Amino acid sequence: MSMQAWVIGNWKQNPATSNDVSVLLDELLSKMGTQKQTGTTTSNSQCKLMVAPSCIHLSAVSERLASSTILSAAQDISTYSANVGAYTGDCSAQQVADAGATWTILGHSERRQYHKESHDCLLNKLSHAFSENLGVVFCIGETQTQYNEHQTLDIIDAQLSVIKDLLVQQPHLISLLSEKLIIAYEPVWAIGTGKVPTVEEVSKTHQYIKQAIAGFASNVDNITVLYGGSVNASNAGSFAADPMIDGALVGGASLKAESFLAIANAFDQANA
Ligand code: 13P
């Protein structure tokens, strides 16, 4: 990796209880403290950490992490309103920001699959997030069938067109993108499967994504692009070594402090 690295934990619908959340945070914070003291992490830590808990745990997690360097994010926000309204079950950009989130994940493949999130739905969500000053981790990636049929880059173009259209509607957002937008490339077939593309494949796709964004936001020449899908403590180093891979969006391995921090250390070391 070549720029500020990010390692982001997407906790999905985990853990089961608020007590389990506390235990995970205890472990994360105490291991980070120990690493600092023993110098087992690089002194000028280059890797930014973020966790995205379930909405129900967001306030508690944000409060607990307020005095740490770990940021907190929502996993999603309402498409219907940036603030309040009659939208049963939804949480708005304003509400998650008020709960302490500074970022939100949007367009995760599980949302696209189970909640049928469309182009217009995501266009609204992006707009609401930026209107409440949240950063956005925007997830894209092809399914197994699309991969087999060599449609990856077409799918990425279609998914990135949400950002392109947002910038047509709100050109002033272009100047915010390099700070407020992170793309997470997550091939659907690599999520939770233990299957991963080669580093070379990921690298080429990331280069394509960076060029595509520079194509419709000309001053954004190096957007942060993370890889996600079965990232673990053993394979993180190989992804971290590639200059096109600016970090990782981690699911399963983010639920244990040890593996999450091992992934962070792999990105720290690649940058040292
Ligand atoms: P896994 O790391 O469990 O494969 O999940 C990746 C993911 O979907 C992160 O958003």
Side-chain angles (χ1 to χ4, degrees), residues 6 32-33 38 63 77 91 134 137 140 157 172 181 206 213 265:
W6 288 87
M32 282 175 75
T38 57
E63 208 167 297
I77 57 171
C91 287
L134 291 170
V137 180
I140 59 176
D157 278 335
H172 68 276
L181 179 70
H206 282 204
I213 290 180
N265 285 340

Side-chain angles (χ1 to χ4, degrees), residues 10 12 108 110 139 186 190-193 228-231 249-253:
N10 175 9
K12 307 190 179 183
H108 191 280
E110 288 149 16
C139 303
E186 302 202 300
I191 295 175
T193 58
S230 297
V231 176
L249 181 56
V250 186

